[in-house]
Amino acid sequence: MIVDSYTSLNSALRGIFFPILLFAAFSAYSATYEDIQRFNSSLKPGNKIECKVSWESNSDAGRVTVERTTRSKLVSRSENSRVFATDEIFSQPGDKTPNLIIQYRVTATTDETGETRRIDASTINVIALSSPELADIVANQFKRTLTAYQANSMITFTNFPDFSIQGAPDWPVTYCVVLNSGDGKVKHTIP
């Protein structure tokens, strides 16, 4: 059963390389540049942001639900730039251990319309507990897509500083919370 679950997720994840990079249509409730500046200035080194999203995907074994949890810790920041140590964790509902973990450092630089993210290729580490082949595939995909852009129009502050990301109209919403730097407890609940 674990092998079947892994095979399904393995097949579903083969095409994933940086799913948050989808571009979005303008939303009436999207964040302004001032909102983004306020958010960025509220972050201090050590703060953690946790984002969660799940979606249905076709695989060799049929439809599977993929859950992604992204945990980013702010390492350093300047006026319009932040460096994060990030873990992306992929699993299926009910799994006790993740099927795939992607770790990297990313520099996020903000301008008036959005954020450019640049992954440091030398920091990419992919762990696929049951498949070194999948780890190699994902690592190679990440290395081909080191830079991405996210428009401010994709962001909605739900309960500042918490926010959601709507990548595209048919893509599920990603919900993000800012964690306290000291105790790691969530300030607000992800819906």
Side-chain angles (χ1 to χ4, degrees), residues 119-188:
I119 296 173
D120 178 348
S122 70
T123 66
I124 295 172
N125 181 40
V126 180
I127 303 163
L129 299 177
S130 299
S131 173
E133 176 190 77
L134 178 61
D136 290 341
I137 290 168
V138 173
N140 288 331
Q141 287 176 332
F142 258 68
K143 288 176 182 172
R144 287 195 306 266
T145 56
L146 296 175
T147 302
Y149 179 78
Q150 179 176 289
N152 290 342
S153 61
M154 296 172 69
I155 306 293
T156 301
F157 286 100
T158 53
N159 186 7
F160 192 89
D162 302 340
F163 59 96
S164 64
I165 304 167
Q166 178 65 60
D170 59 342
W171 191 257
V173 175
T174 300
Y175 294 96
C176 301
V177 295
V178 176
L179 306 176
N180 294 329
S181 60
D183 59 15
K185 293 182 181 174
V186 176
K187 290 182 182 178
H188 304 288

Side-chain angles (χ1 to χ4, degrees), residues 1-14 59-61 64 90 92 95 97-100 127-138:
M1 187 68 111
I2 292 173
V3 172
D4 290 340
S5 174
Y6 170 75
T7 302
S8 298
L9 186 61
N10 181 1
S11 175
L13 290 174
R14 285 187 187 274
S59 75
D60 295 340
V64 296
F90 295 85
Q92 289 182 276
D95 284 353
T97 58
N99 297 94
L100 180 70
I127 303 163
L129 299 177
S130 299
S131 173
E133 176 190 77
L134 178 61
D136 290 341
I137 290 168
V138 173

Side-chain angles (χ1 to χ4, degrees), residues 42-49 72-77 83-85 178-184:
S42 74
L43 296 177
K44 308 293 181 239
N47 283 139
K48 297 174 185 174
I49 300 171
S72 297
K73 180 179 179 181
L74 182 61
V75 175
S76 65
R77 61 172 268 211
V83 176
F84 292 94
V178 176
L179 306 176
N180 294 329
S181 60
D183 59 15

Side-chain angles (χ1 to χ4, degrees), residues 5-122:
S5 174
Y6 170 75
T7 302
S8 298
L9 186 61
N10 181 1
S11 175
L13 290 174
R14 285 187 187 274
I16 296 172
F17 53 91
F18 207 82
I20 238 173
L21 307 181
L22 299 173
F23 288 84
F26 180 77
S27 166
Y29 300 102
S30 57
T32 65
Y33 179 54
E34 291 74 25
D35 294 333
I36 299 297
Q37 285 181 309
R38 181 174 149 226
F39 173 76
N40 289 340
S41 67
S42 74
L43 296 177
K44 308 293 181 239
N47 283 139
K48 297 174 185 174
I49 300 171
E50 181 173 280
C51 299
K52 293 188 178 195
V53 64
S54 65
W55 65 91
E56 296 290 317
S57 182
N58 291 322
S59 75
D60 295 340
R63 303 264 312 152
V64 296
T65 300
V66 178
E67 295 178 339
R68 184 187 73 217
T69 301
T70 304
R71 295 184 180 126
S72 297
K73 180 179 179 181
L74 182 61
V75 175
S76 65
R77 61 172 268 211
S78 61
E79 185 175 336
N80 287 323
S81 182
R82 289 142 335 277
V83 176
F84 292 94
T86 299
D87 293 344
E88 289 192 37
I89 303 157
F90 295 85
S91 61
Q92 289 182 276
D95 284 353
K96 295 193 185 305
T97 58
N99 297 94
L100 180 70
I101 301 169
I102 307 167
Q103 301 169 318
Y104 53 89
R105 280 202 181 215
V106 60
T107 301
T109 305
T110 304
D111 64 25
E112 291 80 13
T113 61
E115 179 175 273
T116 300
R117 296 178 182 172
R118 289 180 180 82
I119 296 173
D120 178 348
S122 70

